[in-house]
Amino acid sequence: MSDAEWAVVRPLLPVPGRLRGRGGQPEAYCHRAMLDAIRYLVDNGTKWRAMPADFPPWDRAHAFFRRWRNHDLVREFHDRLRRLVRKQVGRDPEPGAGVIDSQSVKADAVVGSDSRGFDGGRLISGFRRLQFPQGA
């Protein structure tokens, strides 16, 4: 993560409990190193155990990610970042609408007849699944 990216991201991160007076031990690795490790994992599609030695140990990075995920901090961080970006381009911080698309999928014998249908436009007997566009 570049210094410019870190300058934008850092104020959006949740403040650790120790710094809010809730006690606890100091964290062993800085959030920037942890975020770099998680970004590397997502970008390259590697496994946790295959993380390069340049990053914090894989089990610590995984525990950090799991803790954030379990406390819904990943969604909160994403929402804060989305609001910031929308403000910077002159838009309302909260989106007013969303786009949902669907896709017809062929159904085989394991799909129950109560959830099956026929897509007349594509001439497919199957069911429809919702798709959310990337970046929404």
Side-chain angles (χ1 to χ4, degrees), residues 17-122:
R18 181 181 59 84
L19 298 177
R20 286 183 284 156
R22 291 180 39 205
Q25 294 181 347
E27 296 184 5
Y29 300 96
C30 73
H31 286 179
R32 184 175 181 172
M34 292 296 193
L35 288 176
D36 279 339
I38 294 168
R39 286 179 55 179
Y40 177 85
L41 179 93
V42 170
D43 185 43
N44 294 301
T46 61
K47 297 181 180 179
W48 286 105
R49 290 179 185 250
M51 297 268 291
D54 299 347
F55 297 114
W58 75 267
D59 56 337
R60 295 292 82 220
H62 184 254
F64 178 87
F65 173 75
R66 201 174 53 240
R67 186 173 68 240
W68 274 36
R69 183 195 61 207
N70 291 345
H71 289 97
D72 215 20
L73 296 176
V74 174
R75 181 184 308 276
E76 180 183 332
F77 177 63
H78 175 266
D79 291 346
R80 288 179 182 182
L81 192 56
R82 184 196 64 234
R83 283 192 292 269
L84 177 69
V85 169
R86 288 180 63 90
K87 281 182 186 177
Q88 287 178 345
V89 296
R91 298 174 73 182
D92 186 25
E94 294 298 326
V99 177
I100 300 176
D101 193 6
S102 65
Q103 176 184 25
S104 294
V105 179
K106 289 184 181 181
D108 59 9
V110 297
V111 177
S113 60
D114 58 334
S115 63
R116 247 192 285 200
F118 183 75
D119 182 356
R122 297 193 55 213

